[in-house]
Amino acid sequence: MEENKKISIFDKISLCFRKKWLTNRTITFFVSFLLITAFIILNLWVKTLNLPDIDVTENKIYTLSDASKEAVSKVTEDIKIYAYGFGEDSSLINFLKQYNKANEKITYEILTEETNPEKIKENELSEGYTVLILESGDSRKVIDAQNEFYTYDYTTYQQIDTTEQTITNSILSLNVENKPKIYFMQGHKEFTSEEIASLKVFLTNEAYESKEVNLINEGKVPEDCDALVILSPESDLLDIEVPMIEEYINKGGNIIFTQDMLSGEVAFTNLQKILDLYGVSVQNGYIVEADSNYAVYNYPYIIMPNVSQDSDITSEIYTDSRNKLILVYASRLNTKSDTELENLKVSKQELLFSSDNAYFIKDISSNIEEALKNAEVGKSVISYMMTKNVSAEEDNKIDSKLLICATGSFISDYPINIDGQKPLSYLASNRDFILNGIADLTKREGTLKIRKDMSNSTYIPTVVEHYVVLSIIILFPILIIFIGIMIWKIRKKRK
């Protein structure tokens, strides 16, 4: 009797399991069937709970960032997102579910021929397309997922996922009541709309309206202009245009000006009158980097400049040393003395500059070997933010800002052959620089924080996640094998 008392309940169950169940093939089959059925039912039930996926990537590339959640939580209008070319289990749909969770006014629908053939026909969609269509009232936006959700970092050779930044800023663009107006000046052989098509798409995605303006036809800089953009003109301003731009500046208007290297001598007398208001000028020529850390491959005229850590425009680029700008044939800027700038009520801030070992070539007609003999060695500033006080009264401060850059091709769609042909505007942080600059001029600081570097997607789980994964991929298979061996041994002994 005392021996029976020493046998625990667990031992009795174990004994019963081994002697009565596992030794009987029918019962063994039945138990296995029950376990498999229970496993399937459990999985189906868990699936109906719509539990969030565990994102174990280092930068949480499949998880909506806090910046995006905060931004979209303020959306007050209903937004419907139609997704075409995506399955229910895709990471894109998972993102849309997170947007809906952050704000119930943001809903989504997967477009198929069965669910909404009218919408597919309306947008002329066909097999092979991956498209998002955002609609809110009369506002509408179409995103081509194949081209607008990815970019490429040519310094780390990694594809970068920009899905979240594109969707978030597109959602915000539909809810901005008064979108900042960006006017691109035309009439002096500036970049055409085709040459900056990507830049205009980027602006649309970040809640801006971009238009073109010819001052001769308009008669003035438009009253609703938040930033006047002059991209690398090849001819001078007309005399009649100078007072129009001066009037705009004196009202606190902001300007973005770029100038690429010119192969011939062009007199920019009138244009320089505008730049003289800020005490700055562009020197024709190009920078050659002697320091390989600031040059791309073996092309010393394709440079990765230093960026300022003190400006909102470049601070995030500075912290991500892997993703610098890539500039081709960049010229340099000269400014007046500090005393002269003070008299002009102008302050300056360096944004982009070369290394101290760089050469500046002024003789552009000679080959690079010959030109280097007469080149100037030292630091060259490529971009400044010039801030001019235009206040008529001391207690009512009004500033006019000039973001000037001695190269403009970096924001164009000019193709460059670096590991395959890509537009310059898609390289590294080129787009971020110009978008951050426009955000600064138009006081749109919020958009600076929404964009997110998602280039690194390595597996970095937490301790708990680590042990969960190890249990699934190691312990469970070992347990199944162990049970199988036990069953085999018990049956062998019975025989």
Side-chain angles (χ1 to χ4, degrees), residues 153-407:
D153 181 356
Y154 286 89
T155 60
T156 61
Y157 312 104
Q158 288 180 310
Q159 181 173 266
I160 302 172
D161 188 326
T162 58
T163 303
E164 180 183 343
Q165 71 179 48
T166 301
I167 297 177
T168 297
N169 289 315
S170 296
I171 289 172
L172 297 181
S173 72
L174 295 179
N175 270 255
V176 175
E177 292 184 6
N178 299 308
K179 300 177 184 179
K181 308 293 192 304
I182 311 300
Y183 281 88
F184 291 88
M185 201 160 85
Q186 294 294 308
H188 317 88
K189 298 181 181 178
E190 296 92 345
F191 287 142
T192 65
S193 293
E194 291 73 23
E195 291 172 321
I196 56 170
S198 294
L199 174 58
K200 290 195 170 185
V201 170
F202 302 153
L203 289 172
T204 300
N205 282 349
E206 301 215 2
Y208 296 97
E209 284 187 20
S210 61
K211 301 180 180 179
E212 294 182 356
V213 61
N214 187 309
L215 296 185
I216 301 301
N217 297 335
E218 191 75 19
K220 62 178 180 178
V221 178
E223 293 291 339
D224 61 351
C225 178
D226 292 292
L228 181 64
V229 183
I230 308 171
L231 296 181
S232 301
E234 294 182 14
S235 62
D236 197 14
L237 301 177
L238 298 178
D239 292 341
I240 195 175
E241 293 176 296
V242 175
M244 296 180 193
I245 299 177
E246 287 178 340
E247 181 183 3
Y248 171 71
I249 291 171
N250 290 330
K251 291 180 180 178
N254 298 312
I255 297 175
I256 294 176
F257 175 74
T258 70
Q259 184 62 65
D260 282 287
M261 181 188 70
L262 298 169
S263 57
E265 290 294 327
V266 179
F268 286 110
T269 306
N270 287 326
L271 183 55
Q272 189 56 49
K273 290 178 182 178
I274 301 300
L275 299 183
D276 282 342
L277 296 175
Y278 299 92
V280 66
S281 61
V282 182
Q283 184 173 1
N284 198 36
Y286 64 96
I287 296 169
V288 171
E289 269 294 356
D291 190 334
S292 60
N293 292 320
Y294 297 94
V296 177
Y297 297 127
N298 296 316
Y299 302 101
Y301 54 85
I302 304 178
I303 67 173
M304 295 181 291
N306 284 300
V307 297
S308 169
Q309 62 178 315
D310 301 321
S311 169
D312 287 339
I313 296 173
T314 53
S315 59
E316 291 184 10
I317 299 173
Y318 175 85
T319 57
D320 185 5
S321 59
R322 303 163 302 171
N323 220 12
K324 289 185 178 180
L325 282 78
I326 295 180
L327 310 179
V328 180
Y329 287 115
S331 299
R332 75 176 177 185
L333 300 175
N334 297 319
T335 63
K336 296 183 182 297
S337 68
D338 291 344
T339 302
E340 290 175 300
L341 290 178
E342 186 177 352
N343 292 334
L344 290 169
K345 296 183 179 180
V346 171
S347 62
K348 67 180 181 180
Q349 182 179 35
E350 294 180 1
L351 299 179
L352 307 176
F353 48 94
S354 73
S355 73
D356 293 332
N357 299 319
Y359 292 83
F360 183 73
I361 293 178
K362 295 179 286 185
D363 183 10
I364 59 177
S365 59
S366 303
N367 61 54
I368 190 169
E369 290 81 7
E370 189 66 28
L372 282 172
K373 296 177 182 178
N374 300 314
E376 296 180 13
V377 181
K379 172 184 171 182
S380 291
V381 178
I382 303 165
S383 180
Y384 279 115
M385 176 63 82
M386 312 296 293
T387 304
K388 180 179 180 65
N389 186 299
V390 295
S391 307
E393 302 173 3
E394 300 235 348
D395 58 345
N396 184 26
K397 186 177 180 182
I398 300 174
D399 288 334
S400 170
K401 290 186 174 183
L402 169 68
L403 173 56
I404 182 169
C405 195
T407 179

Side-chain angles (χ1 to χ4, degrees), residues 437-481:
I438 292 173
D440 184 89
L441 296 185
T442 58
K443 299 178 174 62
R444 288 282 305 284
E445 293 86 353
T447 57
L448 297 176
K449 300 175 183 176
I450 293 172
R451 290 191 296 276
K452 174 177 155 185
D453 176 18
M454 305 170 77
S455 58
N456 195 343
S457 58
T458 54
Y459 172 71
I460 305 292
T462 64
V463 174
V464 174
E465 292 169 344
H466 177 70
Y467 285 118
V468 168
V469 173
L470 282 180
S471 298
I472 293 172
I473 64 176
I474 297 177
L475 295 182
F476 283 1
I478 291 175
L479 182 61
I480 292 171
I481 293 171

